[in-house]
Amino acid sequence: MDWKGRDVISVRDFSKEDIEFVLKVAERLEDELKNGPLDYAKGKILATLFFEPSTRTRLSFESAMHRLGGSVIGFSSASSTSVKKGESLADTIKTVEQYSDVIVIRHLMEGAARLAAEVAEIPVINAGDGSNQHPTQTLLDLYTIKRAFGRIDGLTIGLLGDLKYGRTVHSLAEALAFYDVELYLISPELLRMPKHIVEELREKIRIHETTDLEGTIPELDVLYVTRIQRERFPDEQEYLKVKGSYQVNCAVLKRAKESLRIMHPLPRVDEIHPEVDRTEHALYFRQVFSGVPVRMALLGLTLGVL
Amino acid sequence: MAELKVTAIREGTVIDHIPAGKGLKVIEILRLNRPNGGVLLLASNVHSGKLGRKDIVKIEGKFLSEEEVNKIALIAPTATVNIVRDYMVAEKFKVGIPDEITGILRCANPNCVSNHEYTVSKFYVVSREPLKVRCHYCERTMEEEEILGNL
Ligand SMILES: [Zn+2]
């Protein structure tokens, strides 16, 4: 697969080979970084177009580009751009590509990154389009698991929390279905993973749906925790019913394997107690770090400099 | 036998084997119910060997574009199109749902970029029976009822 000029829009566009390749390149870059800064992207410019603010994701991409030796331009909210004056997304993209070599876009509308990629001649990377896709998050999640266990195949993984509205867990589950894993879907009844996704997964891997965290935790190698996000609920009453359904703390973890690793896309509210941070189980800050080599790999590959 | 119930047309199109009750919808999506068109005939609930009951639409002086044929396929996948010249069927074919549906369907997702920016809408057919399509932009799937509401 030739990566130069390729867009990174949706996990759906990836094959297992694509994923494995990105993870391998990320691993190589992480090792190379130990010997000092890199200069693969010297002279290249990344434009970060954050029509909707997301400081963590933007900083992660900027850090990745700097560590590759490139530089960054961009904006972090639509109110500061000509979009406010009514400029179309297509025109913004066509303008910005005159200034840069690769574009990272975050937008509140679903499909915005796909549209941007169709308009732009240079590669476009999706950093989140509404409630649709956030493919670099999924890749860094897979990378984190692979670095922690040396493999993904053979693991038993629990996805916990909001499996209904959680974009992160939907695409992670779809990507995990490429591997030989067993999945536990742990959520309140109201927040079960959508039926069509469960059916799709069931064709490929072993799936268990449950509401019982404590009973399930002894089985798991990885527990992926998500936040129950108030803003995703169409109905406040529904939110209040499930808010605070689960909390991962040291008492719950007494039943877990010593090797259990806990992940979370962050930010968290109260679903993981801070006391867990000091245990060997906590993998979520390491997960944040993984974003950098993974995004370096994607930037470098699409720029054609790796 | 059914054909006898409706006047024959000289030049135009006969859309046959429409599932019973969908004939009006066909007329609506093809916008045939506007004044100044040719003669338009709808036969509803006609006995059919294949379907039990079916609707037939006859349109005088009109031949369908490919886009219009694709639209019919979405709401009446069993339909056949007969092109009539000089009271004779000059050509006859079954409608078919294409793998990609471009331009004729709106996305039901209000937050889809295709409803806000200039784009030509595009959907991939995920399944024909039951009909299910996925938006090229927002990746959300639409099922039959939503599709009919957004043609
Ligand atoms: Zn859409």
Side-chain angles (χ1 to χ4, degrees):
Chain A
M1 169 108 253
D2 189 10
W3 276 79
K4 189 177 178 180
R6 190 175 172 182
D7 303 305
V8 180
I9 305 302
S10 165
V11 174
R12 262 180 228 287
D13 302 338
F14 284 108
S15 65
K16 183 178 181 183
E17 289 66 38
D18 289 332
I19 293 173
E20 287 287 299
F21 182 64
V22 173
L23 302 190
K24 206 165 279 168
V25 172
E27 206 166 326
R28 194 188 94 203
L29 290 169
E30 190 182 329
D31 288 341
E32 284 183 34
L33 270 179
K34 287 177 191 147
N35 306 320
L38 306 175
D39 62 357
Y40 289 109
K42 200 172 166 207
K44 300 287 187 189
I45 297 174
L46 160 67
T48 55
L49 310 187
F50 278 60
F51 292 86
E52 174 194 57
S54 172
T55 310
R56 292 152 190 270
T57 305
R58 185 169 54 84
L59 291 178
S60 176
F61 270 106
E62 291 187 0
S63 170
M65 190 61 176
H66 287 304
R67 289 202 193 282
L68 272 180
S71 47
V72 184
I73 58 171
F75 56 80
S76 54
S77 89
S79 61
S80 61
T81 70
S82 48
V83 172
K84 211 176 146 192
K85 300 173 196 151
E87 186 182 51
S88 73
L89 175 59
D91 283 3
T92 306
I93 298 293
K94 280 182 191 155
T95 305
V96 168
E97 74 172 332
Q98 311 303 321
Y99 310 142
S100 54
D101 302 292
V102 56
I103 289 174
V104 169
I105 179 173
R106 168 94 169 201
H107 203 285
L108 66 173
M109 275 181 219
E110 286 102 53
R114 182 77 69 190
L115 175 61
E118 284 177 347
V119 170
E121 304 277 334
I122 63 175
V124 172
I125 299 175
N126 185 4
D129 59 331
S131 59
N132 183 32
Q133 287 274 333
H134 191 6
T136 62
Q137 176 73 46
T138 301
L139 289 165
L140 81 84
D141 290 342
L142 295 172
Y143 181 74
T144 308
I145 297 172
K146 193 149 192 204
R147 283 299 261 195
F149 291 87
R151 66 197 161 91
I152 297 173
D153 286 318
L155 297 178
T156 299
I157 298 169
L159 305 177
L160 173 72
D162 175 6
L163 307 186
K164 183 177 181 185
Y165 299 108
R167 160 183 78 186
T168 321
V169 278
H170 296 169
S171 32
L172 178 59
E174 281 163 20
L176 282 171
F178 282 130
Y179 294 87
D180 173 28
V181 295
E182 188 162 353
L183 273 193
Y184 282 87
L185 307 176
I186 315 154
S187 71
E189 274 299 329
L190 274 172
L191 294 179
R192 283 169 73 157
M193 182 149 312
K195 223 171 124 198
H196 69 273
I197 301 182
V198 176
E199 281 166 11
E200 228 172 278
L201 293 172
R202 218 180 276 283
E203 286 172 16
K204 298 170 192 159
I205 51 175
R206 273 163 301 162
I207 301 281
H208 314 269
E209 288 188 274
T210 174
T211 56
D212 177 16
L213 172 63
E214 296 198 17
T216 306
I217 211 162
E219 307 296 324
L220 304 177
D221 298 304
V222 176
L223 176 62
Y224 193 103
V225 186
T226 63
R227 184 163 58 99
I228 295 177
Q229 299 178 75
R230 174 183 240 130
E231 65 271 21
R232 297 255 185 244
F233 282 78
D235 176 5
E236 176 83 7
Q237 283 308 311
E238 199 184 316
Y239 170 72
L240 292 173
K241 274 188 228 159
V242 293
K243 158 181 178 259
S245 296
Y246 298 102
Q247 195 194 44
V248 179
N249 52 34
C250 286
V252 175
L253 287 170
K254 282 213 175 79
R255 309 177 51 127
K257 289 183 196 172
E258 216 173 290
S259 59
L260 170 76
R261 292 293 173 267
I262 298 168
M263 296 171 66
H264 191 299
L266 302 182
R268 66 177 151 174
V269 183
D270 55 4
E271 55 278 351
I272 301 176
H273 194 282
E275 69 190 8
V276 178
D277 297 2
R278 291 190 305 270
T279 70
E280 287 290 308
H281 298 300
L283 193 59
Y284 28 91
F285 293 114
R286 163 69 222 198
Q287 189 182 352
V288 175
F289 168 79
S290 294
V292 176
V294 167
R295 288 172 173 131
M296 285 171 75
L298 291 169
L299 289 166
L301 287 170
T302 57
L303 282 168
V305 297
L306 286 178
Chain B
M1 219 260 277
E3 311 301 325
L4 300 177
K5 292 185 182 161
V6 196
T7 315
I9 54 174
R10 186 164 171 250
E11 293 254 298
T13 305
V14 177
I15 308 164
D16 198 357
H17 300 109
I18 301 168
K22 295 273 180 73
L24 262 179
K25 190 78 194 171
V26 168
I27 290 170
E28 200 181 303
I29 59 156
L30 297 181
R31 300 184 207 285
L32 298 172
N33 47 351
R34 288 177 303 188
N36 306 325
V39 172
L40 168 69
L41 296 160
L42 165 65
S44 204
N45 246 354
V46 178
H47 175 78
S48 153
K50 264 189 265 171
L51 299 171
R53 295 278 160 186
K54 66 174 180 180
D55 288 2
I56 305 169
V57 170
K58 298 192 179 196
I59 325 148
E60 196 175 44
K62 180 175 169 74
F63 302 98
L64 301 176
S65 67
E66 194 185 336
E67 190 178 286
E68 288 170 320
V69 172
N70 287 344
K71 273 190 178 180
I72 296 170
L74 292 178
I75 60 161
T78 52
T80 51
V81 175
N82 301 273
I83 294 170
V84 179
R85 292 187 202 279
D86 206 14
Y87 296 108
M88 301 282 284
V89 175
E91 204 185 317
K92 181 174 182 165
F93 56 92
K94 278 180 75 82
V95 301
I97 299 172
D99 294 336
E100 280 179 31
I101 298 158
T102 311
I104 58 178
L105 190 58
R106 257 172 52 94
C107 183
N109 172 8
N111 202 37
C112 177
V113 75
S114 69
N115 288 320
H116 298 269
E117 295 270 336
Y118 174 76
T119 60
V120 176
S121 77
K122 187 162 150 190
F123 297 84
Y124 303 102
V125 175
V126 182
S127 117
R128 289 184 160 77
E129 191 80 45
L131 184 58
K132 206 167 148 187
V133 301
R134 173 177 286 123
C135 176
H136 166 68
Y137 289 100
C138 72
E139 305 186 17
R140 203 176 281 191
T141 54
M142 279 160 70
E143 293 177 18
E144 199 161 340
E145 203 164 306
E146 272 184 319
I147 293 170
L148 297 188
N150 285 282
L151 271 169

